[in-house]
């Protein structure tokens, strides 16, 4: 009996060891399972088991929807004044300190929009300390491996000039401090580096912990720095300064703006009125009379990459192959420690914690009143599942475009392989759109919701909890679905929401960045 137990225990141990080895080696032998997937590339997953529509009954009617003219007119009409206006402008008088206390360096990780918020906070911290800010260093993004610098993305001269009456900014350190570099801090413990800045630190924390280092060494380097300044209990001038940086000082470099303008022009004035040029859907020509909202366009930020899909722990209809791929991805990237994994798919959807798939965001847009003549620009770096996943959205909106479909390879050459520059173009186009919608929350969603609220531009915020429950109801008809969606989004079309305690000033700019008219 003991021998049988030992054999069983030994076999079990061997199986567990083999399983662990399988998880480790899987990315080597099947790398496609663990890489971000491009929109236009067929994936190994889609070759195994291409995802099929999960809401066929709704989709069937949505494909042939007729939207009343009055509903279209209401949808495309701009927001009326909500009694708030931007007021982050400078007072016109210089508030520069007579003498700088030293140099502040920050090292910013994350993607473009997380770094953007970090830049705003860095300016504010330099102001709190009466210090000179060194142009922020942008870390290489570990996901997209983009090494773009501040100067590659933002107009440095405009940045410095816009803030010249607020703080001193230098492009690089003077020679006596040239030793203070990213490489210097990566090779040992340094007295001039601050590693302990807490998340959402107060102004007093910086005065008590960073100022002494500035006074002793003339320089202080803060890393990590993302989300390291509080949103509450700061002086009004500091809050206004953060707003000024975000909404006025941070302007993209000329070639980003030029490409963005080219895309916007082609979306508003499509050459030859070609429908879905280069796609298999509805090829041909249409007249302006057939397109309600002619000359207008909507930007959809479709945040549905493999990283998000895996981390959500939701079921997206790709069958066993997809579940296996996402489970293995979670194990390799997060060692299986994903909070959502303890819940069922139904529980997650009832809580609004599942990102919307391309099919679901398409049905949402259709229910809100966007017809199949809508010019839809897809702002997205990667879509998990490639064309197989996005085909349903394309059928609902045959005039859908993205950078690669609307601009030439030559026009895109400067941003090719640069995720931050690509995101910058999408950000620019999003700010010029008549309507913006994001499929799920995230840094780009938060940044654009705030920026567009600041300028009173129409922005749709999906009601994730409502939609999760609606999509679970497989017996719901189109009319009931459409009615529920419209009612659930009446106050989610760009209406000003005042910032509450601990909420981000960059997502909710009122009242800190705005004044009542």
């Amino acid at each position: 009996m003991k021998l049988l137990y030992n054999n069983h225990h030994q076999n079990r141990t061997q199986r567990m060891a083999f399983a662990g080895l399988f998880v480790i080696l899987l990315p080597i032998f099947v790398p496609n399972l663990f890489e971000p997937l491009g929109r236009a590339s067929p994936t190994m997953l889609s070759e195994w088991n291409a995802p099929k529509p999960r809401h066929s009954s709704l989709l069937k009617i949505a494909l042939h929807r007729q939207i009343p003219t009055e509903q279209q007119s209401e949808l495309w009409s701009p927001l009326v004044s909500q009694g708030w206006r931007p007021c982050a402008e400078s007072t016109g008088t210089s508030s520069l300190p007579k003498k700088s206390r030293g140099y502040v360096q920050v090292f910013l990780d994350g993607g473009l929009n997380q770094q953007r918020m970090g830049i705003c906070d860095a300016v504010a911290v330099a102001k709190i300390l009466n210090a000179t800010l060194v142009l922020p260093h942008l870390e290489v993004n570990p996901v997209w491996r983009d090494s773009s610098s501040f100067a590659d993305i933002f107009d440095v001269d405009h940045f410095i000039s816009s803030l010249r009456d607020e703080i001193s900014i230098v492009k690089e350190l003077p020679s006596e401090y040239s030793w203070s570099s990213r490489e210097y801090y990566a090779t040992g413990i340094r007295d001039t580096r601050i590693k302990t800045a807490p998340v959402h630190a107060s102004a007093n924390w910086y005065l008590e912990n960073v100022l002494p280092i500035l006074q002793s060494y003339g320089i202080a380097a803060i890393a990590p720095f993302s989300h390291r300044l509080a949103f509450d209990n700061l002086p009004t001038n500091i809050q206004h300064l953060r707003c000024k940086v975000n909404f006025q000082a941070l302007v993209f470099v000329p070639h980003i703006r030029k490409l963005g303008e080219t895309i916007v022009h082609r979306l508003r004035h499509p050459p030859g009125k070609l429908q879905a040029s280069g796609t298999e859907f509805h090829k041909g020509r249409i007249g302006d009379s057939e397109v309600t909202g002619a000359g207008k366009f909507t930007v959809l930020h479709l945040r549905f990459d493999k990283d998000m899909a895996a981390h959500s722990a939701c079921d997206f209809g790709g069958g066993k192959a997809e579940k296996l791929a996402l489970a293995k991805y979670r194990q390799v990237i997060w060692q299986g420690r994903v909070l959502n994994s303890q819940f069922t798919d139904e529980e997650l959807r009832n809580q609004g914690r599942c990102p919307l798939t391309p099919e679901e965001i398409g049905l949402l847009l259709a229910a809100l009143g966007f017809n199949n003549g809508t010019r839809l620009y897809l702002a997205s770096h990667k879509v998990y599942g490639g064309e197989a996943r996005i085909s349903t959205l394309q059928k609902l909106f045959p005039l859908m475009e993205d950078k690669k479909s609307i601009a030439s390879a030559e026009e895109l050459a400067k941003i090719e392989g640069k995720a931050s520059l690509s995101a910058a173009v999408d950000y620019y186009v999003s700010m010029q759109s008549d309507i913006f919608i994001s499929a799920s929350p995230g840094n780009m969603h938060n940044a654009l919701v705030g920026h567009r609220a600041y300028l009173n531009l129409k922005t749709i915020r999906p009601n994730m909890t409502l939609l999760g429950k609606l999509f679970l109801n497989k017996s719901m008809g189109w009319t009931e679905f459409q009615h529920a969606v419209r009612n659930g989004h009446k106050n989610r079309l760009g209406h000003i929401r005042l910032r509450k305690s601990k909420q981000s000033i960059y997502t909710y700019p009122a009242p800190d960045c705005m004044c009542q008219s």
Side-chain angles (χ1 to χ4, degrees), residues 103-294:
Y103 295 94
V104 169
Q105 288 178 291
V106 296
F107 301 91
L108 302 173
D109 53 17
L112 172 69
N113 294 292
Q114 183 173 321
Q115 290 172 337
R116 181 188 186 101
M117 297 169 197
I119 293 166
C120 300
D121 288 347
V123 171
V125 166
K127 181 72 171 179
I128 290 168
L129 296 170
N130 282 340
T132 297
L133 178 67
V134 184
L135 208 64
H137 174 88
L138 308 186
E139 300 278 27
V140 176
N141 189 298
V143 177
W144 308 120
R145 302 178 181 89
D146 187 349
S147 59
S148 297
S149 68
F150 186 108
D152 292 329
I153 303 170
F154 299 107
D155 186 326
V156 174
D157 292 335
H158 177 84
F159 179 71
I160 295 175
S161 175
S162 297
L163 300 170
R164 65 180 180 274
D165 292 331
E166 305 283 355
I167 67 163
S168 294
I169 302 172
V170 295
K171 296 179 182 179
E172 56 186 32
L173 287 165
S175 57
E176 61 263 38
Y177 293 108
S178 61
W179 48 266
S180 184
S181 65
R182 183 69 184 85
E183 293 70 29
Y184 173 74
Y185 293 111
T187 56
I189 298 172
R190 312 296 184 183
D191 292 336
T192 52
R193 179 183 175 184
I194 293 92
K195 299 175 64 175
T196 57
V199 172
H200 300 154
S202 67
N204 282 339
W205 187 93
Y206 285 96
L207 292 171
E208 293 169 3
N209 295 274
V210 181
L211 183 56
I213 293 175
L214 275 179
Q215 292 171 329
S216 297
Y217 300 96
I219 189 168
I222 311 172
F225 187 70
S226 296
H227 311 294
R228 289 315 196 268
L229 183 61
F231 292 118
D232 302 316
N233 302 317
L234 290 175
T236 301
N237 70 311
I238 296 297
Q239 296 290 61
H240 275 203
L241 181 56
R242 295 166 98 178
C243 303
K244 183 176 182 178
V245 179
N246 193 30
F247 301 130
Q248 297 178 21
L250 286 176
V251 172
F252 296 124
V253 292
H255 78 86
I256 293 292
R257 302 200 304 269
K258 181 180 178 182
L259 178 55
E261 284 291 352
T262 297
I263 292 172
V264 169
H265 179 79
R266 289 174 187 168
L267 287 166
R268 295 201 184 281
H269 311 284
K273 301 293 187 293
L274 280 175
Q275 282 202 9
S277 177
T279 74
E280 60 181 305
F281 305 106
H282 303 282
K283 291 180 181 176
R285 294 178 180 272
I286 54 174
D288 282 344
S289 61
E290 295 179 56
V291 183
T292 308

Side-chain angles (χ1 to χ4, degrees), residues 308-368:
M308 166 172 267
H311 197 268
S312 73
C314 299
D315 179 4
F316 299 106
K320 292 181 179 179
E322 178 178 273
K323 289 181 180 179
L324 174 64
L326 295 181
K328 297 301 181 187
Y329 187 91
R330 281 192 291 273
Q331 185 63 39
V332 171
I333 303 300
W334 301 292
Q335 292 74 51
R337 295 190 297 269
V338 174
L339 180 63
N340 282 2
S341 297
Q342 63 184 295
F343 300 103
T344 66
D345 180 71
E346 183 175 350
E347 289 171 333
L348 291 171
R349 293 186 182 279
N350 275 316
Q351 297 169 29
R353 294 166 72 172
C354 292
L356 297 176
T357 65
E359 176 191 5
E360 289 168 345
I361 196 71
L363 290 170
L364 167 63
L365 290 171
L368 287 171

Side-chain angles (χ1 to χ4, degrees), residues 376-410:
L376 189 66
Y377 177 81
L378 188 62
S380 177
H381 184 65
K382 300 289 181 183
V383 174
Y384 177 54
E387 293 293 352
R389 181 78 71 184
I390 209 168
S391 61
T392 302
L393 178 63
Q394 182 86 65
K395 290 175 184 176
L396 284 166
F397 296 97
L399 300 187
M400 188 174 73
E401 305 274 12
D402 63 7
K403 287 185 291 293
K404 291 186 176 180
S405 69
I406 205 168
S408 67
E410 291 75 18

